Amino acid sequence: MMRPLRASVIALLLVTSAATAYADCAWVLWQQQGEIAPSGVVSSSDWTWLTAEATSTEAECRQVSARFDATLGPKDADGYSSVTSKGKKVRVRNVCLPDGTDPRGPKGK
């Protein structure tokens, strides 16, 4: 079980980092999150992608990702950490992608 302080730190990191994401940077750290149902699975429609931080290089992005990973805790075999936030269990993973690459897919018109 995650301590409330740890959840607050994670929430603070996400809020402050999201504010620093710039469109003109070369790499973006994305965070994929999905609420874990009581059955222990995440529905494919429940996944959310958020921008966490933007960096100039892939190496910097990976460093930031490692910092986030340290606050999230251990990963499972698929690279996801499980955390409790606002009373809900959530699977989370960080992904560094080149700027302009959107893991949510193409935008509709």
Side-chain angles (χ1 to χ4, degrees):
M1 171 114 354
M2 190 170 67
R3 297 178 298 234
L5 177 61
R6 189 169 161 197
S8 298
V9 169
I10 292 169
L12 179 62
L13 280 172
L14 291 176
V15 170
T16 56
S17 293
T20 63
Y22 304 108
D24 59 348
C25 292
W27 287 85
V28 178
L29 176 63
W30 287 85
Q31 191 170 76
Q32 184 183 29
Q33 302 178 357
E35 185 178 338
I36 302 171
S39 64
V41 298
V42 179
S43 167
S44 61
S45 64
D46 290 338
W47 287 106
T48 314
W49 285 94
L50 305 168
T51 54
E53 193 161 324
T55 63
S56 298
T57 67
E58 181 180 8
E60 288 173 353
C61 188
R62 293 194 185 283
Q63 289 173 345
V64 172
S65 179
R67 187 183 80 223
F68 276 88
D69 286 344
T71 63
L72 293 172
K75 295 180 183 182
D76 63 19
D78 296 324
Y80 290 88
S81 297
S82 294
V83 297
T84 302
S85 177
K86 299 179 184 177
K88 299 178 181 181
K89 290 185 179 182
V90 180
R91 286 188 84 196
V92 180
R93 77 176 173 135
N94 297 313
V95 179
C96 287
L97 295 173
D99 184 33
T101 304
D102 191 333
R104 299 171 294 186
K107 293 181 181 178
K109 290 186 177 184

